[in-house]
Amino acid sequence: MLRRLELAKDWVRDAGNFLKENLAEPVEITEKTRYDDLVTNFDHEVQEKLVKNIFHHFPNDKILAEEDEEKIKFSKELPHLWIIDPIDGTTNFIVQKDNFAIMLAYYEFGVGKFGLILDVMKDKLYWCDSHKAFCNQKELEFKPHKLKHSLLGVNSHMYRTNSGGLQDLSSHTLGVRIVGSAGISYTQLLEGKITAYFSNLQPWDYAAGSIIAERIGYITLNLAGEKPQFNCREKVFTAPKTLISEIQKYIKS
Amino acid sequence: MLRRLELAKDWVRDAGNFLKENLAEPVEITEKTRYDDLVTNFDHEVQEKLVKNIFHHFPNDKILAEEDEEKIKFSKELPHLWIIDPIDGTTNFIVQKDNFAIMLAYYEFGVGKFGLILDVMKDKLYWCDSHKAFCNQKELEFKPHKLKHSLLGVNSHMYRTNSGGLQDLSSHTLGVRIVGSAGISYTQLLEGKITAYFSNLQPWDYAAGSIIAERIGYITLNLAGEKPQFNCREKVFTAPKTLISEIQKYIKS
């Protein structure tokens, strides 16, 4: 596992450098499910690079990747499964040239072994091994906040519609922040800038973040309080274990 | 005016360094109007420093400052008026130690002559003279976006309640971002990361940003389409002049 982790760090860093070097290049944008669900040639290129690297070193590993049309199913039977989100926050990548992330997660028999989130423009790599979490070389620590002294990272649609009672929950906090990227939201969570993150996510959006956050005392659940299924879009949240019961007083599935 | 501008840059930079040097110090937090409207000892200290500097050099100038209990009234009669927001995004300052700004604006007979916004943690000073706008030494340019290819910076309460039809407007864009600081939202606007910014603001929240943004083609209006009054909290937005008529199709006062 450690060899995979060390290689994965290099691959993600290389992919980040590739994006930074090409930031001024024209971007080919395609609509996926609707006008605001976008993919670019760079999403595909980064994914191809990561897939190629994985299969070059580990030809028998399996890969669940956002931009694959035919996707492998997450399963506890698989000894070596990678989950790739080549560019998380594609709209930010297009419009802002900032606030986007490359994410990679690795599972053995359904257990998250490590995750990586690269905040490309800040040049910060968030990662974990089986025990600890880091930002670049610095070990991350859990920063406790009371709920009422917390900020929440949220998805705009869930917030607008009070999905899961998110507006009700937020009224017991200092407010909400919307950054438009699950990956960047997870980096804010890991730094204690937000205390919990709520969104309607695909597995590749929360895989890396949930593994890294788990190392320092967070848990990822769906609104019913169960572990997410990793096989469809689901409303999930990541929050400190110590606040789960208080949060669950306000949210509903 | 240019002497005031050059001095003001130094004062704002000095105040930013003071905050950065004291970032690890304990913060004394006081509630103002409600539990999530906070002020700290650092807001007061930064304001005192700025006020002291202004009066030392220009004893006859007038100052409208966020943390003064008795506030001077904005007026077109005043030959030299400063508007101070010592820490904009106080909640971010407390919780995130990031995403907060120091803002200073200067008016002669009601006309904005220059504004300064310091993104303290990014060490980026956004400012303008009578003609041009800059980030540090780099001249800022207007980056045109079509509305449908735009992101909007919004205030969470206005967004949640569809105030002014903000949800309706946002459905004609790529989405919304909430950063929790008017100053930081204005820096995103000046960099083209958001195309327009909507919030419910006091004069010190929009003074500097509206002056700087005006230099590169933006205008600041209230929801009725009038220039804001500078004498109370008002729902205002700053947007490219080129998009005003399109935006006004969707918003209502």
Side-chain angles (χ1 to χ4, degrees), chain A residues 35 98 159-160 171 177 193, chain B residues 35 98 159-160 171 193:
Chain A
Y35 77 99
D98 198 2
Y159 182 64
R160 183 174 73 218
S171 70
R177 300 293 180 258
K193 291 180 180 179
Chain B
Y35 78 100
D98 199 2
Y159 182 63
R160 183 175 71 218
S171 70
K193 291 180 180 180

Side-chain angles (χ1 to χ4, degrees), chain B residues 189-208:
Chain B
L189 184 93
L190 293 166
E191 298 205 341
K193 291 180 180 180
I194 56 174
T195 295
Y197 173 55
F198 290 75
S199 194
N200 189 14
L201 299 177
Q202 294 278 10
W204 45 86
D205 297 316
Y206 62 79

Side-chain angles (χ1 to χ4, degrees), chain A residues 20-237:
Chain A
K20 276 200 284 193
E21 284 158 15
N22 287 281
L23 219 56
E25 296 298 314
V27 178
E28 293 160 29
I29 302 166
T30 312
E31 292 179 12
K32 292 202 288 190
T33 57
R34 38 176 281 169
Y35 77 99
D36 57 355
D37 180 19
L38 304 172
V39 64
T40 74
N41 55 316
F42 288 104
D43 297 70
H44 291 294
E45 285 180 53
V46 168
Q47 179 167 312
E48 268 170 42
K49 281 175 195 293
L50 294 174
V51 167
K52 204 171 145 188
N53 282 323
I54 293 169
F55 282 150
H56 176 76
H57 287 87
F58 308 105
N60 298 319
D61 285 12
K62 302 294 178 198
I63 300 175
L64 169 56
E66 177 176 12
E67 309 305 342
D68 276 347
E69 296 215 350
E70 294 282 319
K71 291 191 181 75
I72 205 166
K73 221 172 138 58
F74 183 88
S75 155
K76 292 185 177 174
E77 312 290 310
L78 296 170
H80 307 287
L81 173 68
W82 298 79
I83 300 184
I84 297 177
D85 191 340
I87 300 182
D88 180 78
T90 299
T91 301
N92 288 347
F93 172 72
I94 296 167
V95 178
Q96 304 194 324
K97 306 283 180 192
D98 198 2
N99 301 314
F100 58 91
I102 299 171
M103 300 201 283
L104 197 52
Y106 173 71
Y107 291 80
E108 292 182 354
F109 298 108
V111 177
K113 292 294 181 178
F114 61 79
L116 304 101
I117 304 174
L118 180 65
D119 179 336
V120 175
M121 298 311 290
K122 285 210 183 80
D123 208 25
K124 286 188 173 180
L125 181 65
Y126 298 80
W127 59 280
C128 67
D129 57 22
S130 294
H131 306 288
K132 292 177 176 180
F134 301 84
C135 172
N136 293 337
Q137 302 309 317
K138 191 174 161 246
E139 190 177 337
L140 294 169
E141 284 169 26
F142 177 61
K143 292 182 187 165
H145 285 288
K146 288 183 180 170
L147 188 63
K148 68 178 178 177
H149 298 153
S150 290
L151 292 168
L152 304 180
V154 301
N155 161 292
S156 62
H157 186 266
M158 283 181 68
Y159 182 64
R160 183 174 73 218
T161 56
N162 197 23
S163 174
L166 199 46
Q167 290 181 9
D168 311 323
L169 173 68
S170 76
S171 70
H172 297 273
T173 72
L174 291 175
V176 300
R177 300 293 180 258
I178 297 177
V179 69
S181 155
I184 300 300
S185 297
Y186 273 109
T187 69
Q188 294 183 335
L189 184 93
L190 293 166
E191 297 204 342
K193 291 180 180 179
I194 57 173
T195 296
Y197 173 56
F198 290 75
S199 194
N200 189 15
L201 299 176
Q202 293 280 9
W204 45 86
D205 296 316
Y206 63 79
S210 63
I211 298 171
I212 305 170
E214 193 184 317
R215 300 292 183 265
I216 57 168
Y218 293 79
I219 190 166
T220 300
L221 299 171
N222 64 24
L223 296 188
E226 299 149 351
K227 300 230 163 174
Q229 295 300 308
F230 287 87
N231 56 18
C232 59
R233 188 176 286 281
E234 229 176 323
K235 291 176 183 170
V236 301
F237 69 101

Side-chain angles (χ1 to χ4, degrees), chain B residues 147 151-159 163-167 169-170 173 175-178 181-182 185-186 189 194-201 219-223 234-240 243-244 246-248 250-252:
Chain B
L147 188 63
L151 292 168
L152 304 180
V154 301
N155 161 292
S156 61
H157 186 266
M158 282 181 69
Y159 182 63
S163 173
L166 199 46
Q167 290 180 11
L169 173 68
S170 76
T173 71
V176 299
R177 301 292 180 259
I178 297 177
S181 155
S185 298
Y186 274 109
L189 184 93
I194 56 174
T195 295
Y197 173 55
F198 290 75
S199 194
N200 189 14
L201 299 177
I219 190 166
T220 300
L221 299 171
N222 64 23
L223 297 187
E234 229 176 323
K235 291 176 183 171
V236 302
F237 69 102
T238 300
L243 291 181
I244 290 296
E246 191 177 359
I247 287 172
Q248 285 181 326
Y250 304 114
I251 59 167
K252 9 183 201 299

